[in-house]
Amino acid sequence: MQHETPQALLDYAQSFAGFTLGELCARYKEQVPQQLLHKKGWVGQFLEMILGATSGSLAQPDFPELGVELKTLPIDEQGRPLESTYVSVVPLMNIQGLRWENSVVRHKLMHVLWIPIVASREIPIEDRQVAMPFLWQPTSEEEQALKQDFEDVLVQVSLGRIEQLDARLGDILQVRPKAANSKALTDAIGPDGATIKTLPRGFYLRPQFTKRCLQQQFG
DNA sequence: TCGTGATCATAA
DNA sequence: TTATGATCACGA
């Protein structure tokens, strides 16, 4: 399945609206996990599969030829996001010369295909319904805000202050651990400029921001 | 109830 | 190990 344009991809994605994950799994002869505790990325990977995304775990948009990133978004029955949205790893080394304009975060967020899923915890996985997918691009104001959050983080990282940085920083983009567990370590710049070991971090979109995206789209 | 920090699976 | 896909779960 190759999509010629973002609109064609959107049209195809919207053809799945209203179906439950159980119905879609039956159609593709996939097994629905009974719980997501040990399959946390399953919903996103299933949607990638049926929509024909091919980037795998490369640090680039899911549909590189379209410049479109696919994101599932768990929502409650009122359409409110239930979780933050992971965007990308926070670069901690060799960040001299790294700018917003050539960042992975920007490349992914410049064009997103959101696929909301009604996914309150009390709903069995197989009964969770795909809501209406939509394409989203940040306004210039939104991009400025994203850029500001991104640059604020990179300043701290470049100053060797990664350990002082926590999830409270950032109006839209926040930084949180992104690791197998709290003992995972990666290289970063230390306070004195030497290399230190620290917990890998990721950029996440706050739920309040994705809530605004939903409201803009659906009123 | 919500936000932060912790965690789980998998591919390359 | 690092990237992807995320959700879990505890304390305020």
Side-chain angles (χ1 to χ4, degrees):
Chain A
M1 178 66 60
Q2 52 181 351
H3 307 283
E4 295 295 334
T5 63
Q7 180 62 47
L9 173 61
L10 174 64
D11 289 343
Y12 189 59
Q14 290 186 334
S15 75
F16 294 97
F19 291 98
T20 66
L21 295 177
E23 290 168 339
L24 294 176
C25 275
R27 187 190 303 180
Y28 290 91
K29 306 199 185 306
E30 290 283 323
Q31 292 296 310
V32 186
Q34 290 306 295
Q35 55 174 31
L36 295 180
L37 176 56
H38 298 284
K39 308 282 293 184
K40 291 185 181 180
W42 179 80
V43 177
Q45 293 179 331
F46 177 61
L47 268 295
E48 281 187 351
M49 185 275 286
I50 67 180
L51 290 174
T54 52
S55 280
S57 62
L58 298 180
Q60 64 180 15
D62 295 297
F63 297 91
E65 67 286 350
L66 302 178
V68 172
E69 172 72 9
L70 171 63
K71 288 290 180 198
T72 59
L73 180 63
I75 59 173
D76 66 15
E77 291 80 351
Q78 284 69 239
R80 298 172 296 208
L82 292 168
E83 293 286 351
S84 58
T85 301
Y86 170 72
V87 180
S88 78
V89 159
V90 176
L92 299 177
M93 291 293 284
N94 306 318
I95 57 175
Q96 79 280 12
L98 176 54
R99 303 164 55 101
W100 166 252
E101 284 71 21
N102 53 32
S103 66
V104 173
V105 178
R106 179 176 181 277
H107 283 130
K108 288 188 174 183
L109 293 184
M110 283 304 283
H111 211 171
V112 178
L113 173 60
W114 291 105
I115 304 190
I117 313 274
V118 184
S120 302
R121 289 207 190 178
E122 61 269 22
I123 305 176
I125 314 294
E126 64 178 8
D127 295 334
R128 297 182 182 182
Q129 197 172 46
V130 177
M132 187 59 68
F134 63 102
L135 283 171
W136 173 84
Q137 293 185 276
T139 63
S140 55
E141 291 78 14
E142 287 169 331
E143 188 187 344
Q144 275 308 308
L146 289 163
K147 176 180 180 181
Q148 188 65 59
D149 287 347
F150 175 85
E151 291 180 342
D152 288 349
V153 169
L154 281 210
V155 164
Q156 295 304 115
V157 170
S158 65
L159 263 28
R161 297 181 53 80
I162 181 64
E163 302 292 12
Q164 279 66 55
L165 201 165
D166 66 28
R168 292 170 294 187
L169 180 66
D171 295 331
I172 297 176
L173 268 185
Q174 65 176 173
V175 170
R176 305 220 307 279
K178 176 60 173 170
N181 55 57
S182 60
K183 288 102 184 170
L185 293 173
T186 193
D187 287 341
I189 303 165
D192 58 4
T195 299
I196 62 168
K197 290 289 187 180
T198 193
L199 193 55
R201 319 298 166 92
F203 283 115
Y204 295 77
L205 291 173
R206 295 184 184 278
Q208 279 298 333
F209 180 72
T210 50
K211 180 179 180 181
R212 294 213 304 274
C213 297
L214 287 163
Q215 286 172 168
Q216 271 196 65
Q217 181 65 210
F218 301 109

